[in-house]
Every structure is written in structure tokens, then in C-alpha cells.
Amino acid sequence: MALPVIGIPCCRWWLNDTQFFHLVTEKYVEAAKGAGGLPLLIPALGDTIAAGEILAHVDGLLLTGSPSNIEPHHYGGQPVEGDFNDARRDATTLPLIRSAVDAGVPVLGICRGFQEMNVAFGGSLHQAVHAQPGLLDHREPSGNLDERYGPAHEVALVEGGMLHALFGRTSARVNSLHKQGIATLGSGLVAEAHAPDGLIEAFRVADTRGFALAVQWHPEWKYWENPLSQALFAAFGTACTQHARASRHIEPRRQA
Ligand SMILES: N[C@@H](CCC(=O)NCCCC(=O)O)C(=O)O
């Protein structure tokens, strides 16, 4: 059987002081492949290409993390001097998310992708979670990669929610590598997990016919070692395969 195509929107960065690059960190490509998909990198073309044109070629969308921040004007925030933004990624992903969910294309958002999904549905962000009274510091620890992506805190999974159903438990330990976080949850989104300080760490889109889930942590990091990450990517991969079968090009391969 042909593999479902999992589109991964790229960041657009100015590198080596010379040119723009469209890029995705390899661990996301590997996780999309591990979910049973064929990863397809989507360049950050902004509004020069309609979301529908992109969605015609994919069976799922994986929205990745990135050190860049969403431009605050998208959620009514104030510009921050020296902020590292990626306007072209925003211009690509925000309309794409809304169209994908409307079309029932499965969507999984991770970290920046989680924040993008919230903003796409009208939610807002804290620009510095650690500066908010009562909230903890969610930024990454120093150290090697295993230390930076190592378990950082508990999350409580909402009983009866999608993550609870996938994982079969009501708590898990997750990593934490973000400065920003959800201030107000977007319209039609339902919280799926909370950090000990109450910060929303996962949500799903309610009343959608497709899979539409987002997490603030990084399940893609060594996903094969973590039962919650395995369950999450397996469910996403299954949703992409089902969407492909229902809507596009996948036919059972004929026996020779
Ligand atoms: N810039 C935002 C989003 C943080 C984020 O996505 N971090 C991931 C960094 C690299 C990666 O592992 O993909 C924030 O600070 O909240």
C-alpha cells in the first residue's frame, strides 16, 4: 500500500549571512516516517500559494517546533525588540491549519506548532511564561541533547480526553523547551493536559471529523523510547492512512 503523505511546513531562515533556507529539523522527518508516513517538506511560501493547493497533496500535517516565535500581532501581542520571528512560516501555517482542520486532514502540532494551532483558532500566547506570576520556568535546561530533551515535569492528562484514551493513564513526564505558552485557548479547542502550574500542555480541536491534536512538549525526541510518544505517533499515522484511503490516492497494492 502506498504510504500516506505527511506534510511538514518548513521554517524560513536567513543562514550564513547569505541566503534564505527552507528547513525542518531531522527528528520531525524521522518521526513522520516512524508514524508510517512519507514525509513531504512544505516550503514556507506564505500567501503566494493557496492552502488548498498544498492540502491536495498531503494526507496529514505535522507542525514542528522551532526556536522562532509567532509574530505577536497574530494574537494581539506587543512586538518585542530583538524577537526571533519567522513571518513567512506564520503566513504559511496559520491559514493552512484552519483549512486542514476544515477539510478533515489530520493535524499534529508540536511546541511552536502547538502555539500556531492555538493562534490559528484565535487563542493568545504568553511571550515569556516564566515572567507570569504563578507560572513556572518552562525553558530548556542546559546540557547535552539528552539532558535538554529529558523529562522535565509531569503533565496531568484530562480524564476521558483523547490523550488519556491513547495512553491509558492520567499522568506522564514530559520534556520542556519553550519560553512561550498558551494565555487564552483558541475557540473550539479543548484542553487535554496541564503542567503542575496549570499551563495548558496539550489540546484537541473539538467537533472536527479529523485528528487534530497539539502538544507543547517534544514527543518526536527519541519517540521510539517513550510509550506516550509511540501512542501519539501511531494514532496520528493511523489517522493519516485513513484520511488517505477515504479521500485520495491510496489503493491496495495488487498481488503479482
Ligand atoms: N519559540 C517558541 C517555541 C519553542 C519551540 O518550538 N522549541 C523547540 C526548539 C527546537 C526543536 O526542538 O524543534 C517558544 O520559545 O515558546
Side-chain angles (χ1 to χ4, degrees), residues 112-169:
R112 189 198 210 266
F114 161 94
Q115 296 168 0
E116 282 168 340
M117 280 178 73
N118 184 48
V119 170
F121 282 85
S124 66
L125 302 177
H126 292 305
Q127 297 190 53
V129 170
H130 56 278
Q132 292 299 315
L135 295 184
L136 299 170
D137 191 343
H138 287 246
R139 291 174 293 181
E140 67 185 88
S142 53
N144 62 32
L145 279 177
D146 276 327
E147 288 162 338
R148 286 161 54 197
Y149 286 88
H153 62 72
E154 293 275 318
V155 284
L157 308 181
V158 172
E159 271 196 62
M162 194 169 159
L163 280 174
H164 178 211
L166 289 178
F167 190 44
R169 298 189 199 162

Side-chain angles (χ1 to χ4, degrees), residues 48-243:
T48 64
I49 188 145
E53 293 289 343
I54 297 170
L55 294 177
H57 297 276
V58 303
D59 305 304
L61 270 188
L62 176 60
L63 298 151
T64 72
S66 171
S68 72
N69 297 318
I70 300 165
E71 287 197 315
H73 69 83
H74 289 293
Y75 53 88
Q78 292 304 309
V80 175
E81 179 90 25
D83 202 10
F84 175 30
N85 298 141
D86 186 341
R88 281 278 286 274
R89 172 165 164 164
D90 298 343
T92 308
T93 55
L94 296 176
L96 191 58
I97 290 165
R98 292 186 284 260
S99 298
V101 172
D102 281 351
V105 175
V107 182
L108 175 60
I110 295 176
C111 208
R112 189 198 210 266
F114 161 94
Q115 296 168 0
E116 282 168 340
M117 280 178 73
N118 184 48
V119 170
F121 282 85
S124 66
L125 302 177
H126 292 305
Q127 297 190 53
V129 170
H130 56 278
Q132 292 299 315
L135 295 184
L136 299 170
D137 191 343
H138 287 246
R139 291 174 293 181
E140 67 185 88
S142 53
N144 62 32
L145 279 177
D146 276 327
E147 288 162 338
R148 286 161 54 197
Y149 286 88
H153 62 72
E154 293 275 318
V155 284
L157 308 181
V158 172
E159 271 196 62
M162 194 169 159
L163 280 174
H164 178 211
L166 289 178
F167 190 44
R169 298 189 199 162
T170 52
S171 72
R173 281 190 74 72
V174 298
N175 51 25
S176 189
L177 297 92
H178 60 105
K179 178 178 169 193
Q180 306 200 328
I182 289 186
T184 57
L185 194 58
S187 159
L189 306 182
V190 179
E192 281 275 335
H194 297 90
D197 58 4
L199 193 69
I200 294 175
E201 288 270 339
F203 61 77
R204 71 174 190 279
V205 180
D207 300 329
T208 176
R209 54 202 167 99
F211 176 109
L213 184 69
V215 298
Q216 180 67 87
W217 66 89
H218 286 270
E220 82 289 351
W221 177 255
K222 297 196 172 173
Y223 65 90
W224 57 89
E225 291 181 356
N226 181 307
L228 175 57
S229 306
Q230 286 177 334
L232 193 52
F233 282 109
F236 177 55
T238 300
C240 295
T241 300
Q242 286 169 349
H243 180 76

